[in-house]
Amino acid sequence: AQTVTQSQPEMSVQEAETVTLSCTYDTSESDYYLFWYKQPPSRQMILVIRQEAYKQQNATENRFSVNFQKAAKSFSLKISDSQLGDAAMYFCAYRSNTGNQFYFGTGTSLTVIP
Amino acid sequence: GAVVSQHPSRVICKSGTSVKIECRSLDFQATTMFWYRQFPKQSLMLMATSNEGSKATYEQGVEKDKFLINHASLTLSTLTVTSAHPEDSSFYICSAREPGTGATGNTIYFGEGSWLTVV
Protein backbone atom coordinates (compact mmCIF):
# COMPACT_ATOMS: atom_id res chain seq x y z
CA ALA A 1 0.00 0.00 0.00
CA GLN A 2 1.04 3.53 -0.58
CA THR A 3 2.28 5.48 2.42
CA VAL A 4 2.09 9.18 3.08
CA THR A 5 4.48 10.73 5.57
CA GLN A 6 4.16 14.05 7.29
CA SER A 7 7.28 14.47 9.36
CA GLN A 8 6.18 17.62 11.18
CA PRO A 9 3.60 16.83 13.88
CA GLU A 10 3.41 20.50 14.85
CA MET A 11 4.33 23.77 13.21
CA SER A 12 3.83 27.38 14.14
CA VAL A 13 3.94 30.58 12.14
CA GLN A 14 3.63 34.24 12.91
CA GLU A 15 0.58 35.90 11.48
CA ALA A 16 1.27 37.33 8.00
CA GLU A 17 4.36 35.17 7.60
CA THR A 18 4.88 32.17 5.33
CA VAL A 19 5.03 28.56 6.41
CA THR A 20 5.72 25.34 4.54
CA LEU A 21 4.32 21.97 5.54
CA SER A 22 6.11 18.92 4.22
CA CYS A 23 4.72 15.70 2.83
CA THR A 24 6.40 12.75 1.19
CA TYR A 25 4.82 9.65 -0.24
CA ASP A 26 5.83 6.28 -1.47
CA THR A 27 4.45 4.86 -4.69
CA SER A 28 5.50 2.94 -7.75
CA GLU A 29 2.75 4.42 -9.86
CA SER A 30 3.16 7.25 -12.32
CA ASP A 31 -0.41 8.53 -12.44
CA TYR A 32 -1.99 9.71 -9.23
CA TYR A 33 -3.42 12.68 -7.36
CA LEU A 34 -2.26 14.53 -4.30
CA PHE A 35 -4.28 16.64 -1.92
CA TRP A 36 -3.99 18.83 1.11
CA TYR A 37 -6.96 18.92 3.45
CA LYS A 38 -7.44 21.23 6.39
CA GLN A 39 -9.23 20.18 9.56
CA PRO A 40 -10.02 23.16 11.81
CA PRO A 41 -11.31 22.79 15.37
CA SER A 42 -14.79 22.20 13.96
CA ARG A 43 -13.36 18.90 12.71
CA GLN A 44 -14.76 19.17 9.19
CA MET A 45 -12.20 18.27 6.56
CA ILE A 46 -11.87 20.97 3.92
CA LEU A 47 -10.08 20.59 0.61
CA VAL A 48 -7.27 23.13 0.37
CA ILE A 49 -5.53 22.24 -2.87
CA ARG A 50 -4.99 19.33 -5.24
CA GLN A 51 -2.38 18.33 -7.78
CA GLU A 52 -2.43 15.90 -10.66
CA ALA A 53 0.84 14.01 -10.93
CA TYR A 54 1.01 14.36 -14.70
CA LYS A 55 1.01 18.13 -14.41
CA GLN A 56 4.42 19.67 -13.93
CA GLN A 57 3.04 23.04 -12.94
CA ASN A 58 2.53 23.48 -9.24
CA ALA A 59 -1.05 24.07 -8.15
CA THR A 60 -1.97 27.35 -6.48
CA GLU A 61 -5.12 28.49 -4.72
CA ASN A 62 -4.88 32.09 -3.55
CA ARG A 63 -2.48 32.06 -0.58
CA PHE A 64 -1.91 28.32 -0.83
CA SER A 65 0.57 26.75 -3.20
CA VAL A 66 2.37 23.47 -3.48
CA ASN A 67 5.87 22.44 -4.39
CA PHE A 68 5.42 19.14 -6.21
CA GLN A 69 8.61 17.23 -6.80
CA LYS A 70 7.60 14.03 -8.54
CA ALA A 71 11.00 12.42 -8.69
CA ALA A 72 11.56 13.07 -5.02
CA LYS A 73 7.96 12.08 -4.20
CA SER A 74 7.51 15.25 -2.27
CA PHE A 75 4.42 17.45 -2.03
CA SER A 76 4.81 20.39 0.31
CA LEU A 77 2.22 23.04 1.06
CA LYS A 78 3.15 26.69 1.32
CA ILE A 79 0.83 29.08 3.09
CA SER A 80 1.59 32.73 2.44
CA ASP A 81 0.41 35.67 4.51
CA SER A 82 -0.77 33.31 7.25
CA GLN A 83 -4.02 34.22 8.93
CA LEU A 84 -5.45 33.21 12.28
CA GLY A 85 -8.08 31.19 10.47
CA ASP A 86 -5.38 29.01 8.96
CA ALA A 87 -4.80 27.39 12.34
CA ALA A 88 -5.80 23.78 11.89
CA MET A 89 -4.62 20.26 11.36
CA TYR A 90 -3.40 19.73 7.81
CA PHE A 91 -3.48 16.33 6.16
CA CYS A 92 -1.68 15.34 3.02
CA ALA A 93 -3.43 12.67 0.96
CA TYR A 94 -2.65 10.45 -2.00
CA ARG A 95 -4.98 8.77 -4.41
CA SER A 96 -4.04 6.40 -7.18
CA ASN A 97 -5.63 6.76 -10.59
CA THR A 98 -6.73 3.17 -10.14
CA GLY A 99 -8.51 1.85 -7.12
CA ASN A 100 -10.71 3.71 -4.71
CA GLN A 101 -8.70 4.36 -1.63
CA PHE A 102 -7.21 7.58 -0.35
CA TYR A 103 -4.11 7.41 1.81
CA PHE A 104 -3.70 10.06 4.46
CA GLY A 105 -0.68 11.26 6.34
CA THR A 106 -0.67 11.61 10.10
CA GLY A 107 -1.25 15.32 9.95
CA THR A 108 0.54 18.53 10.92
CA SER A 109 -0.97 20.78 13.54
CA LEU A 110 -0.47 24.40 12.53
CA THR A 111 -0.60 27.19 15.09
CA VAL A 112 -0.79 30.79 13.94
CA ILE A 113 0.66 33.26 16.41
CA PRO A 114 -0.96 36.70 16.45
CA GLY B 1 -16.74 22.46 -4.31
CA ALA B 2 -19.24 19.71 -3.77
CA VAL B 3 -21.23 19.64 -0.55
CA VAL B 4 -21.56 16.65 1.73
CA SER B 5 -23.78 16.75 4.78
CA GLN B 6 -23.61 14.40 7.74
CA HIS B 7 -26.19 13.98 10.45
CA PRO B 8 -26.35 13.94 13.42
CA SER B 9 -23.34 15.98 14.41
CA ARG B 10 -23.49 14.65 17.94
CA VAL B 11 -25.27 11.66 19.37
CA ILE B 12 -25.30 10.00 22.75
CA CYS B 13 -26.66 6.50 23.08
CA LYS B 14 -26.87 3.86 25.72
CA SER B 15 -24.66 0.83 25.64
CA GLY B 16 -26.30 -1.99 23.74
CA THR B 17 -28.43 0.19 21.50
CA SER B 18 -27.92 1.02 17.83
CA VAL B 19 -27.36 4.40 16.27
CA LYS B 20 -27.53 5.49 12.65
CA ILE B 21 -25.46 8.20 11.01
CA GLU B 22 -26.44 9.60 7.63
CA CYS B 23 -24.21 10.98 4.93
CA ARG B 24 -25.72 12.88 2.02
CA SER B 25 -24.22 14.40 -1.08
CA LEU B 26 -26.31 17.54 -1.54
CA ASP B 27 -25.42 18.75 -5.00
CA PHE B 28 -24.04 15.75 -6.80
CA GLN B 29 -24.59 12.05 -7.15
CA ALA B 30 -21.99 9.99 -5.36
CA THR B 31 -21.52 6.45 -6.53
CA THR B 32 -18.84 5.97 -3.93
CA MET B 33 -18.78 7.12 -0.34
CA PHE B 34 -16.25 6.43 2.37
CA TRP B 35 -16.60 6.08 6.12
CA TYR B 36 -13.76 6.97 8.44
CA ARG B 37 -13.16 6.89 12.12
CA GLN B 38 -10.85 9.38 13.75
CA PHE B 39 -9.32 9.02 17.18
CA PRO B 40 -8.16 12.11 19.07
CA LYS B 41 -5.15 13.77 17.49
CA GLN B 42 -4.82 11.01 14.93
CA SER B 43 -5.35 10.65 11.24
CA LEU B 44 -8.40 9.21 9.57
CA MET B 45 -8.86 5.47 9.63
CA LEU B 46 -10.82 4.14 6.68
CA MET B 47 -13.54 1.79 7.84
CA ALA B 48 -15.30 0.95 4.62
CA THR B 49 -16.03 1.99 1.08
CA SER B 50 -19.68 2.26 0.23
CA ASN B 51 -20.83 1.71 -3.34
CA GLU B 52 -24.34 2.55 -4.43
CA GLY B 53 -26.45 -0.52 -4.97
CA SER B 54 -23.88 -3.01 -3.76
CA LYS B 55 -22.36 -4.24 -0.55
CA ALA B 56 -19.79 -2.12 1.19
CA THR B 57 -16.15 -3.10 1.16
CA TYR B 58 -14.78 -3.19 4.69
CA GLU B 59 -11.21 -2.66 5.72
CA GLN B 60 -9.39 -5.37 7.57
CA GLY B 61 -10.25 -5.42 11.23
CA VAL B 62 -13.58 -3.63 10.87
CA GLU B 63 -16.54 -5.73 11.98
CA LYS B 64 -19.12 -5.87 9.24
CA ASP B 65 -21.90 -6.94 11.55
CA LYS B 66 -21.20 -4.16 13.98
CA PHE B 67 -20.80 -1.31 11.52
CA LEU B 68 -23.58 -1.72 8.98
CA ILE B 69 -23.23 0.42 5.90
CA ASN B 70 -26.01 0.95 3.41
CA HIS B 71 -25.71 3.00 0.25
CA ALA B 72 -29.27 2.81 -0.99
CA SER B 73 -29.24 5.81 -3.30
CA LEU B 74 -26.78 7.95 -5.17
CA THR B 75 -27.04 10.66 -2.55
CA LEU B 76 -27.30 8.78 0.72
CA SER B 77 -25.13 6.38 2.66
CA THR B 78 -25.77 5.35 6.24
CA LEU B 79 -23.58 3.91 8.95
CA THR B 80 -25.34 2.02 11.72
CA VAL B 81 -23.37 1.15 14.81
CA THR B 82 -25.13 -1.86 16.24
CA SER B 83 -25.04 -2.91 19.88
CA ALA B 84 -22.85 0.05 20.65
CA HIS B 85 -20.32 -0.09 23.45
CA PRO B 86 -18.29 2.67 25.11
CA GLU B 87 -15.25 1.72 23.04
CA ASP B 88 -17.21 2.64 19.92
CA SER B 89 -17.27 6.24 21.10
CA SER B 90 -15.41 8.22 18.50
CA PHE B 91 -15.61 10.79 15.73
CA TYR B 92 -16.98 9.31 12.50
CA ILE B 93 -16.58 11.11 9.17
CA CYS B 94 -18.01 10.32 5.79
CA SER B 95 -16.80 11.49 2.44
CA ALA B 96 -18.09 11.26 -1.08
CA ARG B 97 -16.34 11.13 -4.39
CA GLU B 98 -17.47 13.67 -6.92
CA PRO B 99 -18.28 12.14 -10.31
CA GLY B 100 -16.17 12.98 -13.31
CA THR B 101 -12.71 12.35 -14.60
CA GLY B 102 -9.34 13.78 -13.84
CA ALA B 103 -8.85 15.71 -10.65
CA THR B 104 -12.56 16.40 -10.28
CA GLY B 105 -13.52 12.77 -10.27
CA ASN B 106 -10.68 11.87 -7.99
CA THR B 107 -11.43 14.32 -5.22
CA ILE B 108 -13.42 13.50 -2.13
CA TYR B 109 -15.42 15.93 -0.06
CA PHE B 110 -16.17 15.40 3.58
CA GLY B 111 -19.20 15.69 5.77
CA GLU B 112 -19.09 17.61 9.02
CA GLY B 113 -18.48 14.49 11.06
CA SER B 114 -20.43 12.89 13.88
CA TRP B 115 -19.41 12.58 17.49
CA LEU B 116 -20.70 9.35 18.97
CA THR B 117 -20.68 8.89 22.71
CA VAL B 118 -21.82 5.57 24.14
CA VAL B 119 -22.70 5.66 27.81
Side-chain angles (χ1 to χ4, degrees):
Chain A
Q2 282 75 7
T3 56
V4 179
T5 302
Q6 292 179 250
S7 59
Q8 306 154 316
E10 297 179 346
M11 290 282 284
S12 62
V13 62
Q14 206 76 32
E15 193 176 3
E17 296 295 311
T18 296
V19 64
T20 299
L21 308 184
S22 65
C23 172
T24 58
Y25 55 94
D26 182 27
T27 185
S28 58
E29 299 173 330
S30 60
D31 196 11
Y32 48 87
Y33 302 87
L34 297 163
F35 307 84
W36 278 97
Y37 285 90
K38 167 185 176 181
Q39 188 177 40
S42 67
R43 301 297 293 268
Q44 177 160 20
M45 297 278 284
I46 302 165
L47 176 67
V48 175
I49 198 166
R50 62 188 174 194
Q51 173 84 41
E52 293 115 307
Y54 67 84
K55 288 188 176 180
Q56 293 185 341
Q57 188 174 7
N58 290 323
T60 61
E61 287 287 343
N62 300 314
R63 297 182 296 107
F64 299 88
S65 62
V66 298
N67 183 5
F68 173 48
Q69 301 289 328
K70 191 172 184 179
K73 298 178 184 176
S74 170
F75 183 61
S76 61
L77 173 69
K78 186 171 83 170
I79 306 174
S80 304
D81 186 25
S82 297
Q83 300 176 0
L84 295 178
D86 295 333
M89 192 74 143
Y90 286 82
F91 291 97
C92 178
Y94 169 103
R95 174 180 162 76
S96 168
N97 196 31
T98 59
N100 246 337
Q101 189 164 161
F102 281 72
Y103 297 89
F104 287 88
T106 50
T108 296
S109 178
L110 179 66
T111 299
V112 180
I113 303 167
Chain B
V3 180
V4 177
S5 179
Q6 192 171 335
H7 178 81
S9 57
R10 290 182 180 274
V11 58
I12 301 173
C13 71
K14 292 185 177 180
S15 186
T17 63
S18 296
V19 60
K20 180 185 288 187
I21 301 170
E22 294 186 346
C23 180
R24 294 180 184 274
S25 54
L26 298 185
D27 54 359
F28 67 99
Q29 293 183 328
T31 54
T32 305
M33 290 185 174
F34 305 88
W35 287 95
Y36 296 87
R37 182 172 179 177
Q38 188 178 31
F39 294 98
K41 298 188 177 182
Q42 292 191 23
S43 189
L44 287 75
M45 182 190 80
L46 179 65
M47 298 175 65
T49 301
S50 167
N51 296 296
E52 187 269 337
S54 64
K55 291 183 178 180
T57 303
Y58 289 82
E59 294 301 302
Q60 193 172 8
V62 178
E63 297 177 58
K64 302 178 184 181
D65 296 332
K66 181 166 189 62
F67 298 99
L68 299 179
I69 291 172
N70 184 24
H71 194 156
S73 77
L74 286 171
T75 59
L76 174 65
S77 177
T78 59
L79 167 67
T80 301
V81 183
T82 62
S83 186
H85 288 101
E87 57 264 31
D88 299 325
S89 299
S90 190
F91 187 66
Y92 294 88
I93 317 176
C94 74
S95 68
R97 179 181 167 186
E98 190 176 19
T101 59
T104 300
N106 284 283
T107 300
I108 54 172
Y109 295 90
F110 288 84
E112 302 94 328
S114 299
W115 281 104
L116 169 63
T117 302
V118 185
V119 298

